[in-house]
């Protein structure tokens, strides 16, 4: 508010509204709105709400009209000496100047308080930013370490996958060997049963009945460390003779009689 401003503010601490209509003016150069003036100055003794000064005089508190009529203006100072009129005007201007000064001081105080709060908030914000930067740096370091751990797990997973694939290949190979050996063992067992079911044959040269010697069943050998051992032992010589290697009676009958000389 400047000297050219035509509106005063209520000096009540929690009000500070623009004054219009009627106002309460005190001898300590304070002014209050009609609402707070009527409430505060109705008690005795009256105390100024702005500076806590005692207002015990008859004219220490005056309720005045802020926008007087033209008739009031024409008659209020009529008949007074010029020096009295100037003295009254000087005191009125001093009151106005004090209100302007008081408002300026209040605004400067509010500004300094706001600046102090701003500095405090900037300080708090700076501390928070520093703490956030530290947390961000720590989180970045943690992310980098987690990435390293993840890469290590990926490498181990790749190694385990390769080992698993190799074991699967070995398993498939062993499964194939096992199937082929089982099939071979089944074929050998069928051959033995066929040979055992054949009847005994008569040897006409000696007259002695001989039976076909059954083959020995193959013996399964355990695999050595090099994995190059054979799975079955060889059949023995007398046991490896098949049914078709025995002398046939038909062939014996078909031979010509050789007379000794």
């Amino acid at each position: 508010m400047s000297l050219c401003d035509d509106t005063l503010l209520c000096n009540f601490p929690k009000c500070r509204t623009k004054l219009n209509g009627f106002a309460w003016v005190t001898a300590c150069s304070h002014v209050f709105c009609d609402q707070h003036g009527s409430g505060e100055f109705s008690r005795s003794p009256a105390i100024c709400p702005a500076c806590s000064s005692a207002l015990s005089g008859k004219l220490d508190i005056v309720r005045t009209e802020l926008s007087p009529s033209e008739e009031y203006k024409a008659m209020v100072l009529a008949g007074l000496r010029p020096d009295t009129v100037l003295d009254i005007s000087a005191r009125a201007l001093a009151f106005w100047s004090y209100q302007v000064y008081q408002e300026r001081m209040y605004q400067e105080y509010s500004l300094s308080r706001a600046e102090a709060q701003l500095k405090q908030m900037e300080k708090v914000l700076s501390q928070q930013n520093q703490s956030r930067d530290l947390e961000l740096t720590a989180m970045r370091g943690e992310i980098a370490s987690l990435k390293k751990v993840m890469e290590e797990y990926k490498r181990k997973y790749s190694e385990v996958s390769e080992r698993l694939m190799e074991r699967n290949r070995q398993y498939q190979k062993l499964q194939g060997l096992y199937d082929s050996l089982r099939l071979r063992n089944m074929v050998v067992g069928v051959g033995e049963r066929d040979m055992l079911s054949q009847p005994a044959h008569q040897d006409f040269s000696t007259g002695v009945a001989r039976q076909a010697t059954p083959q020995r069943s193959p013996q399964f050998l355990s695999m050595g460390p090099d994995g190059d051992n054979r799975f079955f032992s060889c059949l023995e010589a007398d046991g490896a003779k098949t049914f078709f290697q025995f002398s046939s009676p038909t062939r014996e009958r078909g031979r010509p009689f050789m007379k000794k000389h």
Side-chain angles (χ1 to χ4, degrees):
M1 183 174 65
S2 62
L3 288 174
C4 60
D5 293 335
D6 58 351
T7 304
L8 295 177
L9 300 178
C10 178
N11 295 158
F12 195 80
K14 296 182 180 180
C15 182
R16 298 194 57 80
T17 59
K18 291 183 178 182
L19 300 177
N20 55 10
F22 291 89
W24 292 78
V25 181
T26 63
C28 56
S29 301
H30 292 106
V31 62
F32 301 94
C33 63
D34 196 20
Q35 178 182 358
H36 288 97
S38 301
E40 292 294 330
F41 301 135
S42 62
R43 298 186 294 268
S44 181
I47 303 296
C48 178
C51 62
S52 302
S53 299
L55 304 173
S56 58
K58 183 178 179 181
L59 296 177
D60 287 348
I61 304 171
V62 176
R63 184 174 183 266
T64 183
E65 187 177 0
L66 298 177
S67 300
S69 63
E70 294 297 329
E71 291 81 3
Y72 179 82
K73 293 178 183 179
M75 298 301 296
V76 66
L77 297 178
L80 299 178
R81 293 172 57 86
D83 55 345
T84 305
V85 173
L86 292 177
D87 186 27
I88 295 172
S89 299
R91 292 185 182 187
L93 291 175
F95 178 84
W96 190 273
S97 299
Y98 176 77
Q99 286 293 317
V100 172
Y101 173 76
Q102 184 180 6
E103 182 64 23
R104 183 173 64 86
M105 293 298 295
Y106 178 80
Q107 295 295 337
E108 289 180 355
Y109 168 75
S110 299
L111 179 61
S112 62
R113 187 176 179 181
E115 289 178 350
Q117 292 179 355
L118 179 61
K119 290 181 180 179
Q120 184 67 22
M121 294 299 295
E122 289 178 351
K123 184 177 180 180
V124 173
L125 180 61
S126 178
Q127 293 177 354
Q128 290 180 354
N129 289 335
Q130 290 179 359
S131 62
R132 295 296 183 274
D133 292 338
L134 293 176
E135 291 178 0
L136 182 61
T137 303
M139 291 179 66
R140 286 176 178 173
E142 186 176 357
I143 290 173
S145 62
L146 289 176
K147 285 183 178 179
K148 291 181 180 179
V149 173
M150 185 177 65
E151 293 295 331
E152 183 67 19
Y153 278 123
K154 285 183 178 180
R155 185 183 62 81
K156 291 182 179 180
Y157 174 76
S158 178
E159 293 178 357
V160 171
S161 298
E162 292 178 358
R163 292 178 182 176
L164 181 61
M165 292 175 65
E166 182 65 25
R167 294 292 175 84
N168 287 334
R169 287 192 292 267
Q170 293 178 0
Y171 172 76
Q172 295 294 334
K173 185 177 180 180
L174 292 175
Q175 186 69 29
L177 291 174
Y178 170 76
D179 293 338
S180 62
L181 291 175
R182 185 177 63 177
L183 181 59
R184 186 174 177 181
N185 193 14
M186 291 172 60
V187 171
V188 171
V190 170
E192 289 179 355
R193 288 194 297 271
D194 292 342
M195 291 178 64
L196 291 174
S197 63
Q198 294 293 334
H201 298 281
Q202 181 72 25
D203 192 349
F204 292 95
S205 60
T206 58
V208 180
R210 296 182 59 187
Q211 292 182 352
T213 304
Q215 295 180 347
R216 291 184 180 179
S217 58
Q219 299 178 359
F220 185 76
L221 298 180
S222 60
M223 296 180 64
D226 53 356
D228 198 24
N229 294 334
R230 297 186 177 182
F231 294 93
F232 290 94
S233 63
C234 297
L235 299 174
E236 296 183 2
D238 54 351
K241 191 179 295 183
T242 63
F243 171 74
F244 298 100
Q245 291 177 338
F246 288 95
S247 59
S248 176
T250 308
R251 292 179 62 186
E252 292 292 335
R253 294 193 198 98
R255 288 183 181 177
F257 180 74
M258 299 297 294
K259 185 179 182 180
K260 295 181 180 180
H261 297 284

